[in-house]
């Protein structure tokens, strides 16, 4: 698997598709050599972000997810075409989701200018 | 998807097993089934998580809601045998302080 | 899962990514209610097409795969952006691949005019 | 990925077990390992497919290549215990007529 290859997925913003994205990322992460625990962490973090997108924007189009294979890890970028990123973690009940993502991933960046995206990164060899 | 079963019910405790996956898709059903099982009984609740392979923040939120209800009647909820991946989420969210967690 | 939802995947034309596409389609097909044997058939047919694309066009960009959920089945469409579809089944050793795809799927259409695509369809409730 | 092991080797037959998945990614390795195992011995070949979960047209092509080599020396290849999904591909491609298939 060479560096900088990107697999992209476009997923309808509906709850029933989140488990499919989870399955896909587990395949990618396992091929990249992540261990089982870390794969689980990545699946959870991915689901949390997709879950929040769906809660705030349910039914409105698709979310674009880029899985980029880096030399030392994976970078996962979420975008909604022609739409701004909603406030994903604005209310009380979102605190668990944000705590989970921040703990499990090495980096999370919410980009509200420019291309309106959320990117999270997990490095190889770093289970929580 | 998930499965919820009342395994045993003595004078003191009700054991409810939760199996499968709880995520944004199954959460609404899980909430309804769990709250129903809890309302039906008077005892302390033991949730057997031995065969729960996945839970997300929404599932955890539902557990918090359940705990509130149960506590109003001076009862509590024990989480029994969570897998390490599920256990980790209780630790990260601080919920391991709210629930009794029993590892066997 | 409502009708006409489409999940799209963009996959580098490299052998190491075929198993990831297989994993994704098994998730989609299982969510749609296909039985285990039929899911296996769909995975095999998908792999054969991706395999032929990779043999003929290895390393040159990505293939776009649309998984469309129909009321009575799944339609899977393959396109290469800005490129014509290669002759996928032109030589002797490709005959197995074509035999397998034709037997396992209900429909296969190779569109060389217009949008240059290959589409295969599998109906619900029809294991081979 | 796949695994190839020589399980037993008596005067008449060599049993080679093939486990895992053979697809476009693993096919080159499979071809090399298989042809090597075949060249190393003089007996008939029994390929135990009990734990082979996946094979594609490329894998089948490699088997055809192996069969040609083996037949040149008046030997043959038996496919033992293929799973139903793998068995189906032999039927579809007509290769169930070229190979001896032994289901136990
Ligand atoms: N998704 C969630 N994330 C975090 N906490 C949650 C979530 N859902 C519910 N909660 C917590 O559980 C409490 C009770 O939840 P719930 O039973 O759903 O509300 P209600 O009692 O209004 O029906 C909420 O006030 C909230 O603190
Ligand atoms: N992918 C394939 N699909 C169908 N048949 C194949 C495939 N690969 C090989 N074969 C068949 O097996 C024969 C021998 O294959 P191989 O051993 O790879 O060639 P060679 O003997 O030239 O090294 C080929 O002539 C072809 O008929």
């Amino acid at each position: 698997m060479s560096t900088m290859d990107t697999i992209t997925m476009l997923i309808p913003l509906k709850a029933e598709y989140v488990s499919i994205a989870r399955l896909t990322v587990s395949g990618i992460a396992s091929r990249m050599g992540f261990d089982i625990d870390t794969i689980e962490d990545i699946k959870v973090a991915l689901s949390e972000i997709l879950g929040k997108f769906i809660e705030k924007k349910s039914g409105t189009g698709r979310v674009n997810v880029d899985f980029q294979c880096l030399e030392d890890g994976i970078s996962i970028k979420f975008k909604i075409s022609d739409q701004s990123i909603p406030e994903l973690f604005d209310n009380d009940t979102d605190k668990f989701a944000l705590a989970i993502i921040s703990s499990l991933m090495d980096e999370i960046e919410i980009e509200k200018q420019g291309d309106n995206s959320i990117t999270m990164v997990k490095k190889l060899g770093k289970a929580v | 998807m998930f499965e919820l079963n009342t395994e045993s019910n003595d004078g003191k405790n009700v054991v409810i097993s939760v199996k499968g996956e709880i995520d944004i898709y199954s959460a609404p059903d899980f909430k309804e089934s769990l709250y129903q099982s809890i309302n039906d009984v008077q005892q302390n609740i033991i949730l057997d998580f031995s065969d729960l392979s996945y839970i997300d923040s929404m599932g955890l939120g539902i557990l918090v809601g359940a705990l509130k209800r149960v506590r109003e009647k001076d009862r509590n909820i024990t989480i029994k045998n969570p897998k390490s991946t599920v256990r980790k989420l209780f630790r990260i969210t601080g919920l391991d302080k709210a629930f009794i967690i029993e590892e066997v």
Side-chain angles (χ1 to χ4, degrees), chain A, chain B:
Chain A
M1 179 168 285
S2 59
T3 327
M4 305 308 273
D5 276 341
T6 300
I7 295 174
T8 298
M9 244 183 136
L10 286 140
I11 309 162
L13 284 166
K14 296 184 180 172
E16 61 259 50
Y17 296 111
V18 176
S19 65
I20 293 164
R22 255 199 315 270
L23 202 58
T24 303
V25 81
S26 70
I28 297 172
S30 119
R31 176 112 298 172
M32 290 181 69
F34 283 101
D35 60 74
I36 296 179
D37 286 345
T38 312
I39 292 172
E40 210 50 45
D41 291 348
I42 296 170
K43 281 166 67 177
V44 170
L46 174 89
S47 301
E48 291 295 343
I49 291 195
L50 290 177
K52 289 299 149 194
F53 267 113
I54 290 166
E55 256 185 88
K56 318 273 167 171
K57 293 260 180 184
S58 185
T60 59
R62 299 196 289 173
V63 55
N64 182 110
V65 189
D66 288 331
F67 302 94
Q68 194 176 12
C69 308
L70 310 174
E71 206 163 310
D72 61 343
I74 187 169
S75 163
I76 306 176
K77 182 174 187 168
F78 304 80
K79 274 184 297 189
I80 304 185
S81 45
D82 299 325
Q83 287 193 49
S84 57
I85 293 290
E87 285 295 336
L88 290 186
F89 307 108
D90 53 355
N91 74 48
D92 204 47
T93 58
D94 297 334
K95 63 185 185 303
F96 289 163
L98 189 56
I100 291 170
I101 298 164
S102 317
S103 306
L104 298 183
M105 300 303 281
D106 291 319
E107 292 168 30
I108 169 156
E109 196 187 343
I110 302 178
E111 175 75 65
K112 287 197 185 146
Q113 267 82 48
D115 69 351
N116 259 314
S117 63
I118 298 188
T119 304
M120 57 187 204
V121 173
K122 187 74 184 177
K123 300 282 170 62
L124 276 160
K126 282 200 175 180
V128 175
Chain B
M1 290 301 301
F2 73 94
E3 227 183 273
L4 204 125
N5 289 303
T6 301
E7 300 289 337
S8 69
N9 183 339
D10 64 27
K12 267 183 67 187
N13 298 306
V14 177
V15 178
I16 300 170
S17 70
V18 186
K19 297 178 183 175
E21 299 202 338
I22 295 162
D23 73 353
I24 187 172
Y25 184 56
S26 53
D29 274 357
F30 173 63
K31 183 172 177 173
E32 202 185 308
S33 312
L34 180 67
Y35 286 15
Q36 182 129 34
S37 305
I38 286 176
N39 286 339
D40 287 353
V41 298
Q42 269 65 49
Q43 297 92 322
N44 289 320
I45 308 290
I46 298 177
L47 294 178
D48 186 340
F49 274 14
S50 309
D51 294 316
L52 181 71
S53 56
Y54 188 87
I55 192 165
D56 67 2
S57 64
M58 208 161 284
L60 294 175
I62 291 164
L63 292 177
V64 171
L67 189 61
K68 277 194 196 165
R69 265 147 229 250
V70 163
R71 286 221 177 122
E72 281 164 13
K73 304 182 191 161
D74 279 319
R75 297 184 285 139
N76 63 44
I77 297 181
T78 301
I79 304 291
K80 193 179 150 191
N81 247 350
K83 286 186 196 297
S84 65
T85 48
V86 171
R87 179 73 182 77
K88 190 196 284 183
L89 297 183
F90 277 84
R91 176 165 51 78
I92 289 172
T93 55
L95 289 180
D96 54 353
K97 271 126 202 153
F99 292 89
I100 305 160
I101 297 184
E102 191 182 292
E103 273 141 323
V104 290

